[in-house]
Amino acid sequence: MNLGLIGAGLVMGLSAVGSAIGIGIAGQAVIGAWKKCYIANKPAPMTLLAFGGAPLTQTFYGYILGFLFMKPAALAVVNDPQRGSLFLGIGIASGLAIAFSAIAQGKAGAAGADATGETGKGFVNYMMIVGICETVAIFAMVLSMISLSL
């Protein structure tokens, strides 16, 4: 059993699960905000779609990191039973960090969509909080990349 390749699969899969959960959370709020606009005969801002789709980026971070596990230089390390567990550990920890970042981003996006839909104001302010949630995933990916290169 190759623990390193299991780690690659886990970082990819966990990040995608987090994205799906985050998109589901934010998407419900975006739809609700649009409904409120339609009921009030106000234009439904399409910019709210940015809140709903923001957690999708974490899937890319997980796949970028997972594919690094499978580069030829990394495969020599991954196939080493003593170092394979390192890749497994990084895959689990990073996958969870990226997933929870996507979930937090979905929750922040949901609040932002609701507030923007109701007031028509504050989009950029709310998106900054969504971006801060994104930073956790970027840090997890980059710091994991650095760990893999040591």
Side-chain angles (χ1 to χ4, degrees):
M1 179 179 350
N2 192 318
L3 296 178
L5 291 179
I6 293 171
L10 283 170
V11 72
M12 292 177 183
L14 289 170
S15 63
V17 167
S19 288
I21 293 168
I23 290 167
I25 293 167
Q28 291 176 63
V30 169
I31 291 168
W34 283 335
K35 181 186 92 173
K36 288 178 188 176
C37 290
Y38 293 139
I39 289 171
N41 285 323
K42 295 184 344 187
M46 289 297 114
T47 54
L48 297 184
L49 192 56
F51 290 120
L56 182 60
T57 57
Q58 274 80 339
T59 297
F60 293 117
Y61 301 147
Y63 273 70
I64 290 167
L65 187 56
F67 284 130
L68 282 179
F69 286 33
M70 295 182 273
K71 284 178 57 177
L75 282 175
V77 176
V78 170
N79 289 324
D80 176 3
Q82 294 176 345
R83 300 265 332 243
S85 58
L86 170 69
F87 279 68
L88 175 63
I90 289 173
I92 292 169
S94 297
L96 287 173
I98 293 168
F100 281 110
S101 171
I103 293 166
Q105 195 173 44
K107 290 179 177 184
D114 183 56
T116 303
E118 197 165 320
T119 66
K121 299 177 182 177
F123 174 81
V124 173
N125 295 358
Y126 309 139
M127 193 54 78
M128 285 189 290
I129 298 300
V130 170
I132 291 169
C133 295
E134 177 99 9
T135 304
V136 174
I138 293 170
F139 282 173
M141 178 187 71
V142 171
L143 295 174
S144 294
M145 289 173 162
I146 292 169
S147 297
L148 291 173
S149 68
L150 297 177

